[in-house]
């Protein structure tokens, strides 16, 4: 049902005085019609705004007005795709115009004002942060295990082109998000408390483990990292990083004075993660054992029992 029809039905049920309306428009479309009386507190002779109702209206308008900015990225051809600015409601201007209407007389209309929302990463930043590679790691997988490969590719895409600013903390679970069917993740083998089962998002731990080894080699500060309950096939013993939405996470912090860029790709049985930064970066690399370039006999992911600080209870 369109807005005009809803308004017509509302007027039939509860007739209002159109001479008191405030019509609010976004991009030449009416998104709300307010009535002065609905936002008045019940005090005789003293017109006061019901601030709680106004706050709810501002929140609703903010949701309708908001457009998320898009960061600059690097495409598969190596070219930088420029950023796109977003927008949000200029709530101070909206409130000022609402008060003019409320304490005035008669009807009024307004086109809402916006403020630009700048992306975290623009083309200029991306052009510099890509220049120096400070860490890299590769793992391998069975390209014939289609569901698992699909999950690995989805998670790789989620962390690809991610820029971690100086002092910023990167959480794998927050960046990748919950692994659900709605987001495209598929059933693949996992291990839950030592028992083989099927779970949504199986294979994700290969992505987090490859990322761990790359950022560890780059000398970044590992804040939280858990190992599986048994060795996995895609990294050397003790070099894995298990993750699950309701359980362990992989977390690191950019301790450097320059931003760092994560590049990730999974293709043709290989998972690659590289870490980059500004050419002026002086990093502190660590020695990280590599894996043999071969398709492993895959062992499904398992829950964690160890972290960077020693043993924990599952």
């Amino acid at each position: 049902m369109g807005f005009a029809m809803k308004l017509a039905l509302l007027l039939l049920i509860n007739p209002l005085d159109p001479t008191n309306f405030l019509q609010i428009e976004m991009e030449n479309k009416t998104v709300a019609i307010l009535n002065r009386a609905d936002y008045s507190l019940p005090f005789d002779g003293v017109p006061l705004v019901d601030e709680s109702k106004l706050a709810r209206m501002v929140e609703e308008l903010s949701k309708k007005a908001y457009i998320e900015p898009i960061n600059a990225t690097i495409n598969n051809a190596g070219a930088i795709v420029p950023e796109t600015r977003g927008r949000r409601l200029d709530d101070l201007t909206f409130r000022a115009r609402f008060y003019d209407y409320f304490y005035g007389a008669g009807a009024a209309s307004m086109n809402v004002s916006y403020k630009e929302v700048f992306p975290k990463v623009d083309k200029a930043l991306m052009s510099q942060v890509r220049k120096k590679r400070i860490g890299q790691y590769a793992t391998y997988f069975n390209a014939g295990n289609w569901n698992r490969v699909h999950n690995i590719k989805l998670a790789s895409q989620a962390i690809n082109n991610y820029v971690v600013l100086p002092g910023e903390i990167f959480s794998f679970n927050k960046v990748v998000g919950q692994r659900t069917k709605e987001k495209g993740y598929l059933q693949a083998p996992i291990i839950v408390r030592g028992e083989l089962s099927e779970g949504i998002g199986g294979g994700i731990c290969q992505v987090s483990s490859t990322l761990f080894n790359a950022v560890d080699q780059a000398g970044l500060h590992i804040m939280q990292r858990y190992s599986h309950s048994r060795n996995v096939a895609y990294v050397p013993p003790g070099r894995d990083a298990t993750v699950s939405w309701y359980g362990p996470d992989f977390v690191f912090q950019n301790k450097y004075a320059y931003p760092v860029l994560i590049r990730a790709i999974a293709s043709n049985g290989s998972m690659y993660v590289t870490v980059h930064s500004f050419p002026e970066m002086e990093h502190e690399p660590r020695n990280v054992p590599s894996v043999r370039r071969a398709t492993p006999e895959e062992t499904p992911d398992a829950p964690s029992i160890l972290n960077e600080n020693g043993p924990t209870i599952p």
Side-chain angles (χ1 to χ4, degrees), residues 1-10:
M1 183 183 297
F3 179 83
M5 181 63 71
K6 290 181 180 177
L7 179 61
L9 292 175
L10 178 63

Side-chain angles (χ1 to χ4, degrees), residues 120-121 125 129 162-170 220-221 252-261 276-278 281:
K120 172 183 171 183
V121 181
L125 173 58
V129 76
Y162 196 92
V163 173
V164 188
L165 299 178
E168 185 179 358
I169 294 174
F170 176 100
L220 297 167
H221 175 48
F252 69 89
Q253 183 179 36
N254 179 11
K255 69 177 186 178
Y256 297 118
Y258 294 92
V260 296
L261 165 68
H276 307 258
S277 191
F278 279 51
M281 160 78 81

Side-chain angles (χ1 to χ4, degrees), residues 67-79:
I67 296 178
E68 187 174 4
I70 301 173
N71 289 326
T73 58
I74 301 172
N75 63 21
N76 292 336

Side-chain angles (χ1 to χ4, degrees), residues 54-63 89 91 94-95:
L54 178 58
R56 289 195 292 271
M57 169 53 64
V58 171
E59 183 179 0
E60 291 178 9
L61 288 177
S62 295
K63 292 178 181 177
L89 177 72
D91 55 344
F94 172 79
R95 286 174 179 272

